[in-house]
Amino acid sequence: MGFVAGTGLGNRLKKEISGDILLDAFSRGRYATDASIYQMMPLGVVVPKTVEDIQAAIAAARDEGLPVLARGGGTSQCGQTVNNALVIDNSKYFNGLIDLDVEGQRCLVRPGIVLDELNRLLKPHGLWFPVDVSTSSRATIGGMTGNNSCGSRSIRYGTMRDNVHSIEGLLADGQTAAFGAFHRSDVQDGLVDHPLAKQLLNLGAEHAEEISRRFPNLMRRVGGYNIDALVPMNMPNNLSHLLVGSEGTLAYSTAIELKLSPLPRNKTLGVCHFGSFYHAMDATQHLVKLAPQAVELVDATMINLAKDIPMFRATVDQFIQGEPDALLLVEFAEESPEESLRKLAELETLMGDLGFSWTGSGKSWGGVVRAEDPAFQSAIWEVRKSGLNIMMSMKEEGKPVSFVEDCAVPLEDLADYTARLTDIFTKHGTTGTWYAHASVGCLHVRPILNMKTEQGAKTMRAIAEEAFEMVREYKGSHSGEHGDGIVRSEFHEPMFGSKMVEAFREVKQLFDPETTFNPGKIVDPPKMDDRSLFRFPPDYRKSDHAPALDWSEWPGGAGGFQGAIEMCNNNGACRKLSGGVMCPSFRVTRNERDLTRGRANTLRLALSGQLGPDAMTSDDMAETMKLCVSCKGCKRECPTGVDMARMKIEVLAARAKAKGLSLHDKLVGYLPRYAPMTSKFPWLANLRNTVPGLAKLMEGPTGFAADRKLPAWRSDRFENDEVAKPETVQAVLFADTFNRYFEPENLRATTKVLKAAGIGLEVAAPKDGGRPLCCGRTFLAVGLVEEARAEAQRLLDALYPYAEKGIPIVGLEPSCLLTLRDEIPALLPGEKSAAVAAKAKMLEEYLTDLADQNALSLPLKSPAPTVKLHGHCHQKAFGVVSSIQRILQLLPDTKVETIETSCCGMAGSFGYKKETQDISKKMAELSLLPAVRDSGPDTVVVADGTSCRHQIFDGSGKDAIHVARLLEMALDD
């Protein structure tokens, strides 16, 4: 069910709301899931800019008898943020810092502000908001409030409830209300004007005894409503604490007042290794006596999976010793560095006292790896924070499923609890993965189940019932952090008793008698195993789409393509707004559509037939993919490996086959074919750039933006015979199309540098002696997969003889050379492509390899006082930037700075296209261009990507050069 633009509700929303209104099936589908196993199609989506927008949306929904769902980052793991409702997304606009009281250590924020963004604003004042959830790069404060989030350091700072002072909100009937601390006597005496205060406090008094008897005595109890905040002994009573953890079912928060803390300093980290998981859990109760601010678990499964993920491999190798069955990350942050180091020494002593040593064996083996360097600590914590996504990176139909994930038990029972829960998993034919908050007895555990099957659903319920019964036996909580949602709400009666469940209903009735806000959560929920609510319901269709590339590495329909898409677990790591690369278009637009997760969800719905026939080739799908710049940031930074750049090729191929190509696409795609002839008449090809008005005249038919100069064709193109054949070939140069015809000086610089290094270099040439070699990337960029495959075959035929002999293949253009390691093996899987991929090296990689072998001899001088380095997206995706940094470190008397950037925004033809040039420029302005403009006159900017260099020049007027030219400048003749 949904609404189209012509309906009364749609018209009303568009008339009354200044924000975005999304009513089409594609947009609604992107909001149908969160990080849980559930999917519920929204009725429409409102993206508000103001409180008035939210009031108008709630009023319109109320008048139509429709439910409303507040949403932030959409990363809930229990189904809290999915519903057949009008979704109101706070994250795009409604996300400001309203007020900051530094002295009072308080701030007032809009619910859509992301935790990391808030902490960036607080850091200059020496403050932070300490509920440090692992999803801090995308978790909004509103979502954290609705969920009563906790984080790794709750042992010191408490839960969200402990750090919220007050909340301003809207009730379902449209009233505004302030929820904060009240004295009962003031309420009873009528001194407090609040629509619900008296009734709520009376309810707390009425149920005080039952609350004391039935609520688990644990910090990590986040199930049900926090009606213990209403009892007489909790004075003054803070009504905002009732809204914390209410999952948007009671009121709509419009402003949240937070308690801030001083930034922790002098942090040290001890990585405690254990040969036995059980003994790691048993040791936790002793380690917490040292008063650390965090004790976090990482199990062997997570360690092994992290080793297979490129962005984590180096870090894991650095902090893991031997083959531990479990790790405990124990962090201290004391007043002085000496005190923190003393605590770390005490930790080492305590581990010895508990019987663990590096020389021990079996359960006695273990010890502490010290992490004192802040950068090293941060890298280790990044692995831990990515625990969920690391666990979800399994390439099989079964995945770790969240439903008993964050039960909490007393620390003294933790080891027995984990052992017994493991036995339950074994009984039901599965295993579990463990990580997270050992310090407070709340471990994240996910049994591996196939949720596409009826048996998977039955096993989930059986495990849940047995696990929750055991938790009650330990007087624990079945929900210790991630809330109730659909997964756990139905289990409140056995956990809290029928009287408490009725009290929860009374609270809901007081706030929301018409059940407007997020129905079916906490009270009157559906069954947790209702498969009609699953992301993979009983009628989920396995696609018979014939993919253009090889996806056999994954299971599922469409030759594995559908399985690769389903790797997206909606945890939202791609929503981060700084650090790394992905997702550059989202960082500009803040639209769910322009996001790896949004695109993956759209593809999954399309392939499974949920968006109607021909969805893959529709205009809506084209719009979904339009702003994907194929940066490959997701390939490296999405721990579940969702490679949207490669997936976009499938969409482009399907659309090209169904609808053909525009002139713009033909000009881009066929560049390698017409380049040899065009380069003979460069003056003619360059007329568009030089004749006034011609670019504007050609803008319509060609699609190239008139105010962008296209790369200039050169008369001195690079020729293969410029490099004499050596007696012994030590490396082969792949001269790509862009450097050959547009910037031949880069290839010439490379030959000069390698000659100075004494390397016997040969230029790769086609076997038939025909036109120069090309990787085929331009064809892939417009969906001409067969033409790309033909180019790839020519390239493999030319390069395989070198690879077979172990000769490195050296290239300059990242997007071209790295195609040999990525797309070509998917175009032409087999021995040849694998061999060539293994030997394909960027120039800087080749030089660092020589340096590592003590075989690099380059006489270098300083080319400039300062060098600023911008890494190409594909270099970042393949971990190549570190090689450039290492080579630049060889330059004497030269300061090297790496610019922290996402995509430059040019991205091949993306920045030249009329309809995407504005987004391209905004991407560049996020960090790259300001950093370049801030460069001094003696600073040289290095950028290996052709597109990057053009974007830098167009946006700043400063020239950027390839690292080959910088090295040429540095040669000491």
Side-chain angles (χ1 to χ4, degrees), residues 814-834:
S815 61
C816 295
L817 185 282
L818 295 172
T819 298
L820 290 167
R821 288 176 17 195
D822 192 1
E823 287 89 355
I824 288 180
L827 283 167
L828 295 166
E831 178 188 347
K832 282 189 175 182
S833 60

Side-chain angles (χ1 to χ4, degrees), residues 1-14 21-25 28 43-44:
M1 179 182 179
F3 297 93
V4 295
T7 65
L9 178 65
N11 289 335
R12 177 176 173 179
L13 292 174
K14 289 179 179 180
I21 312 298
L22 309 173
L23 303 174
D24 63 282
R28 291 185 292 111
L43 308 177

Side-chain angles (χ1 to χ4, degrees), residues 555-623:
F561 177 40
Q562 191 172 17
I565 293 166
E566 291 165 357
M567 290 296 292
C568 177
N569 66 1
N570 282 267
N571 197 252
C574 45
R575 288 179 64 93
K576 63 185 179 184
L577 297 173
S578 63
V581 176
M582 73 169 182
C583 185
S585 51
F586 174 75
R587 295 184 185 192
V588 171
T589 70
R590 305 287 180 95
N591 291 327
E592 183 73 19
R593 178 194 64 194
D594 305 319
L595 181 67
T596 304
R597 178 179 76 177
R599 295 175 185 121
N601 275 323
T602 305
L603 285 170
R604 177 179 55 79
L605 292 167
L607 278 183
S608 57
Q610 297 179 68
L611 294 177
D614 303 319
M616 276 287 285
T617 58
S618 67
D619 290 345
D620 283 328
M621 182 63 77
E623 281 295 307

Side-chain angles (χ1 to χ4, degrees), residues 25-38:
F26 276 67
S27 294
R28 291 185 292 111
R30 287 186 275 267
Y31 284 86
T33 49
D34 54 12
S36 71
I37 60 174
Y38 299 104

Side-chain angles (χ1 to χ4, degrees), residues 752-802:
K752 185 175 180 181
V753 169
L754 293 183
K755 181 179 180 181
I759 303 299
L761 183 69
E762 184 167 291
V763 181
K767 283 188 171 182
D768 60 7
R771 63 180 171 79
L773 296 167
C774 178
C775 67
R777 170 157 296 283
T778 59
F779 288 119
L780 292 175
V782 297
L784 295 177
V785 174
E786 290 310 312
E787 286 81 354
R789 189 173 280 118
E791 292 294 329
Q793 189 63 64
R794 291 178 74 238
L795 191 55
L796 287 184
D797 290 344
L799 295 178
Y800 178 67
Y802 297 100

Side-chain angles (χ1 to χ4, degrees), residues 219 235 596 781 875-876:
M219 176 200 297
M235 294 199 301
T596 304
Q875 288 175 312
K876 294 170 186 173

